[in-house]
Amino acid sequence: MADIFRHRGPAWRASHAGHVSLGQLKVMSAIERCRTAALGGHVERCEDCAHLRISYNSCGNRHCPKCQAAAAKEWLADRQAELLPVPYFHVVFTLPGPIADIAYQNQAIVYDLLLKTAAETLITIAADPKHLGARIGLTAVLHTWGSALTHHPHAHIIVPGGGVSPDGERWIACRLGFFLPVPVLSRLFRRLFLEGLNAAYQAGRLRFFADQAALAQPAAFQTPRRTAQGRMGRLCQATFWRTRRRPRLPFPLHTPHCYCQQPARRLRRRARHFQMEGLPGQGRRSL
């Protein structure tokens, strides 16, 4: 990534002038200079053979792939210590293209709304006695790019397969291989997110530039909202179990454009005891 930034960064910054924040420019600069002479360094000497080696300093930026590895391992170790001996579910909340375009120019507001709305959706539906009737916990991670390195904001959420009863006296487990009904989650998530997005727009918190400048007009703003209503909230959920080492998915799970990618044929045998739902028009199915 540092090589790409050094070779293509100047031209990219020039072509996107006015659309890149100061914080993003600082991150690019830190990655370009990480572990180079620009940040200084130190000399390491072997006590046995007297071999000398120059080591350049790291930038320490949390977005740098070179510096994030240690922090990522520490974060995973902390989350591993929090796991319960119960099945866990992986739920993905995604934003469709029209809303993703708005999020690109209003990242702090829309990403915060995405995570809060996704968490509120799961907690509300899980607390409903018609579904689970329990208080749940969750761990959410924001992803803003897809595997094809295109802008694709979505939230990955890990949820235990059950929760504490309202009186706090017992554990309520969900059905085997099934957490919450995806259509119900989808409808609530869509309504809450669009209400929050419209409230932010009415409060004047959203900004629109360049090819989205027309969205500053209320009539134009309603168009992407109506377009997104039928596509928002497409979710997928798959179970994975706690193991002695780490939780693992039975197959690689990827959701480009709000859909769930089918596992490779050679991996399906290992995933037959898992259930997935949420694929449009197909309902619940076993793999």
Side-chain angles (χ1 to χ4, degrees):
M1 183 177 294
D3 291 337
I4 294 174
F5 281 0
R6 281 191 286 266
H7 286 84
R8 302 294 183 181
W12 186 86
R13 285 189 287 266
S15 62
H16 290 76
H19 302 287
V20 185
S21 66
L22 179 60
Q24 292 170 329
L25 293 175
K26 289 182 177 179
V27 170
M28 291 186 67
S29 177
I31 294 176
E32 291 173 356
R33 302 169 63 193
C34 184
R35 302 189 186 184
T36 65
L39 297 181
H42 55 277
V43 179
E44 299 175 347
R45 178 179 182 274
C46 177
E47 295 181 353
D48 296 329
C49 65
H51 175 73
L52 298 179
R53 183 179 65 179
I54 299 177
S55 296
Y56 296 115
N57 297 330
S58 302
C59 65
N61 192 289
R62 67 185 181 91
H63 300 283
C64 178
K66 296 179 182 177
C67 301
Q68 186 67 9
K73 291 181 180 179
E74 182 179 353
W75 185 86
L76 289 174
D78 292 340
R79 302 292 78 77
Q80 173 69 31
E82 298 172 352
L83 290 178
L84 302 173
V86 298
Y88 277 75
F89 287 80
H90 176 207
V91 185
V92 181
F93 289 82
T94 67
L95 298 181
I99 303 299
D101 294 339
I102 296 175
Y104 192 77
Q105 296 185 358
N106 301 271
Q107 298 180 18
I109 297 173
V110 178
Y111 293 163
D112 179 70
L113 180 61
L114 168 61
L115 290 175
K116 289 182 177 179
T117 303
E120 182 180 355
T121 298
L122 286 168
I123 293 173
T124 301
I125 300 302
D128 190 339
K130 294 188 298 183
H131 299 294
L132 185 61
R135 292 181 295 145
I136 64 171
L138 55 90
T139 299
V141 177
L142 173 68
H143 282 190
T144 57
W145 299 90
S147 61
L149 297 183
T150 56
H151 186 237
H152 177 57
H154 55 285
H156 291 265
I157 301 183
I158 305 302
V159 192
V164 180
S165 61
D167 57 10
E169 297 294 330
R170 59 191 178 90
W171 175 264
I172 300 178
C174 65
R175 286 185 287 166
L176 181 63
F178 180 85
F179 182 54
L180 293 172
V182 168
V184 177
L185 291 172
S186 300
R187 287 192 294 269
L188 181 59
F189 172 69
R190 177 172 58 247
R191 179 173 64 82
L192 293 177
F193 185 90
L194 292 178
E195 288 177 355
L197 187 68
N198 186 63
Y201 181 82
Q202 297 298 330
R205 300 172 59 203
L206 300 180
R207 298 291 183 265
F208 304 100
F209 311 96
D211 57 342
Q212 295 192 45
L215 294 180
Q217 302 298 324
F221 179 75
Q222 295 300 322
T223 301
R225 289 185 67 247
R226 287 195 295 267
T227 303
Q229 280 184 345
R231 298 173 53 197
M232 283 191 59
R234 294 277 176 80
L235 312 177
C236 69
Q237 66 179 26
T239 57
F240 68 101
W241 304 83
R242 181 187 182 187
T243 64
R244 294 181 180 178
R245 297 178 59 186
R246 64 186 184 279
R248 60 179 178 83
L249 285 171
F251 51 83
L253 188 61
H254 172 56
T255 55
H257 306 296
C258 311
Y259 294 95
C260 182
Q261 179 182 4
Q262 292 295 326
R265 182 177 300 276
R266 60 186 177 83
L267 296 178
R268 286 184 179 175
R269 293 182 179 178
R270 289 188 291 174
R272 284 180 177 172
H273 61 288
F274 292 100
Q275 293 178 336
M276 183 176 299
E277 71 171 51
L279 294 177
Q282 297 181 14
R284 187 173 176 181
R285 62 184 301 182
S286 299
L287 299 178

